[in-house]
Amino acid sequence: MAQIIDGKAVSASVKAEVAAQAAQLKEEKGLEVGLAVVIVGNDPASRVYVNNKKKACEAVGFKSFEYALPEETTQEELLALVEKLNKDKSVNGILVQLPVPRHIDEKAIINAISPDKDVDAFHPVNVGKIMIGEYSFLPCTPAGVMRLIESTGVDITGKQCVVIGRSNIVGKPQAMLLLQKNGTVTICHSKTKNLKEICLGADILVVAIGRAKFVTGDMIKEGAVVIDVGMDRDENGKLCGDVDFESAEKVAGYITPVPGGVGPMTIAMLMKNTLTAAMQQNGLM
Ligand code: NAP
């Protein structure tokens, strides 16, 4: 039976580290870390994410600035707000909650955020820095996954690492981070042939596809580390992951649950990036 990787506990320790450093910054330098979160429209899931980010800011002692804009906001208006936040010294990090409404070009918005304040690490400059291993910010979800793997004590060096999913926000950067830790990395996607066979060779398997319970126990190598990034709904509408937990936990060595695995890490790493941004902007790093 697999050992469960407790994302809530690991994320709590990351947030505690961040809170301690933020308190020290305030006391010694009089600096208060600030994160601006922009949401456009009324998507209920986005609303929940934004509220969670606000709560996390409060918990670690950051100031949060929320901009809730109506659905009909134009691209020009949103760009003007981003530009204003880029210049605002009390704002260290800027996050525009995705997806934005269809009439707004997501890429144009991402590109407008100053790379120094891009705490999601979606700007092409930050993406490029990740490729060459000289990054300031890591994208939050893949960075959270790395912390979870680290928490198992399993050394990535020389391991067969398989990432299923090649999105810009999870799969691709995930593969780069595993490579930087000396993993031998295979990236799989919807056109991959013999997926099961590839998965069976994985010492570390990261699944980010968005399909409920897709990866089953018979696709997992005995003792593997299995990280489930998926946030899906099962046939009863209950939150579940991309991995069929019940069959997978019988084979894996370590496994993340959904909920309580990768999810809490994403916000914790966002707080860490915002703190890093504040320190860099003030010449402290
Ligand atoms: P995405 O942009 O939709 O990408 C999905 C990837 O999975 C694509 O690369 C796709 O391949 C691949 N894929 C789809 N079906 C597949 C199949 N049958 N076999 C192999 N590969 C397949 O999704 P995402 O944004 O990366 O998110 C993935 C999941 O993670 C979602 O459930 C999302 O909700 C969750 N997520 C969670 C967090 C968190 O904080 N916990 C953060 C971000 C995302 P192609 O490229 O060939 O289409």
Side-chain angles (χ1 to χ4, degrees), residues 63-82:
K63 248 193 194 166
S64 69
F65 307 92
E66 190 190 320
Y67 295 84
L69 308 180
E71 181 83 23
E72 57 276 13
T73 302
T74 64
Q75 181 163 319
E76 289 65 36
E77 285 166 335
L78 184 54
L79 286 171
L81 173 61
V82 168

Side-chain angles (χ1 to χ4, degrees), residues 142-157:
V145 168
M146 296 307 281
R147 282 294 272 256
L148 291 177
I149 297 172
E150 199 181 290
S151 78
T152 65
V154 170
D155 184 6
I156 297 170
T157 298

